Amino acid sequence: MKTYRIREMSWVEFDQRRKETKTVIIPTGACEIYGPHLPMGSDGFAAEAVAERVAERTGALIAPMTEIADSGALLDYPGTITVSTPLYRMWMAELIDNLIGYGFKNLLFISGHATNVGIITSLMIERQRTKGVNWAQIDWWRFTAEHGDDIFDCKGRMAHGHASECGTSVMLYLKPELVHMERATCVAPPPETADYPDIIHFVPMAAKTPDATVGDATCGTREKGEKIVSRCVDRIVEYMNAKWEL
């Protein structure tokens, strides 16, 4: 079966395939608390699965995924593995420069972890200016919130909070064997944890939830997950076809 993942290719196959496309997809994830019912690698599982679906439709190759990131804001409960922002930035810079060095002109990032987004944006603005490459980034869970209002029963944080309806639905579709719905909870975060949205400040996870769920995970379904993933993949492919020579 044809693969799009660079790490699954021999160097001979990669050398041929890199000549057939100008585009590489870079999925990024994290290992962090994700409610009592979802795997801590959910961000990366989602990013890599979306990358696979986009690659199948565009012919792009998929870079090795970075599975650990700066998740220092999510250390309230055991399990999160985190690295410093400077280390993550250095790692991503090296990966990006490797890919550009192999001739890729279009770099698409599927970022499953929000903290990755700003770092990658900063790195790619510099390389757009100095190396003339094209790039785009999908902030995956915020992207689903933009495109799923008619799919989910809940709204706002109850649908798109941490490990809530959207995240649970996506994982039920992509990795059902790792989801434990009997543990799913509904946690409405205290109103004061969402006040002053115009001012940047940090509210610890433990102040929002007793179990790392923010929102309603109990109404997640596989069908909703399939709908949101399909819709988002369509949108990503539309952009790539419109903006880039693949």
Side-chain angles (χ1 to χ4, degrees), residues 170-188:
V170 168
M171 292 307 295
L172 282 168
Y173 172 48
L174 299 176
K175 289 283 186 180
E177 71 277 12
L178 300 180
V179 180
H180 300 275
M181 283 303 290
E182 72 279 6
R183 302 179 194 161
T185 60
C186 176
V187 178

Side-chain angles (χ1 to χ4, degrees), residues 124-133:
M124 290 311 301
I125 288 174
E126 177 186 351
R127 282 154 181 80
Q128 178 180 335
R129 185 179 66 251
T130 61
K131 298 181 184 294
V133 295

Side-chain angles (χ1 to χ4, degrees), residues 71-241:
S71 296
L74 293 166
L75 290 169
D76 296 274
Y77 308 99
T80 294
I81 298 174
T82 186
V83 297
S84 68
T85 294
L87 178 58
Y88 185 80
R89 181 183 179 87
M90 181 173 64
W91 173 272
M92 287 304 301
E94 297 283 352
L95 172 60
I96 290 164
D97 288 341
N98 269 264
L99 296 169
I100 293 173
Y102 281 123
F104 293 106
K105 301 298 184 184
N106 308 314
L107 286 78
L108 174 72
F109 297 84
I110 310 291
S111 297
H113 181 55
T115 305
N116 300 348
V117 174
I119 298 169
I120 291 168
T121 295
S122 174
L123 290 169
M124 290 311 301
I125 288 174
E126 177 186 351
R127 282 154 181 80
Q128 178 180 335
R129 185 179 66 251
T130 61
K131 298 181 184 294
V133 295
N134 303 310
W135 68 279
Q137 182 170 197
I138 305 301
D139 181 358
W140 173 248
W141 298 115
R142 268 51 60 188
F143 194 70
T144 60
E146 288 286 329
H147 296 285
D149 270 355
D150 61 326
I151 292 175
F152 300 106
D153 296 331
C154 299
K155 302 299 177 187
R157 287 198 293 175
M158 296 305 288
H160 297 284
H162 200 66
S164 57
E165 182 182 8
C166 177
T168 300
S169 297
V170 168
M171 292 307 295
L172 282 168
Y173 172 48
L174 299 176
K175 289 283 186 180
E177 71 277 12
L178 300 180
V179 180
H180 300 275
M181 283 303 290
E182 72 279 6
R183 302 179 194 161
T185 60
C186 176
V187 178
E192 62 270 19
T193 63
D195 59 3
Y196 295 99
D198 53 331
I199 297 176
I200 297 171
H201 63 294
F202 174 65
V203 180
M205 180 66 76
K208 303 176 186 177
T209 169
D211 64 8
T213 299
V214 177
D216 191 350
T218 65
C219 53
T221 69
R222 183 192 185 282
E223 292 73 23
K224 294 172 187 174
E226 184 172 8
K227 285 180 181 179
I228 190 62
V229 169
S230 176
R231 182 176 296 177
C232 288
V233 168
D234 285 347
R235 181 65 170 171
I236 295 166
V237 172
E238 176 190 337
Y239 173 89
M240 294 170 70
N241 285 328

Side-chain angles (χ1 to χ4, degrees), residues 27-30 40-49 65-67 112-113:
T28 76
M40 288 187 288
S42 291
D43 288 342
F45 288 135
E48 202 159 35
M65 183 180 70
T66 56
E67 298 198 53
H113 181 55

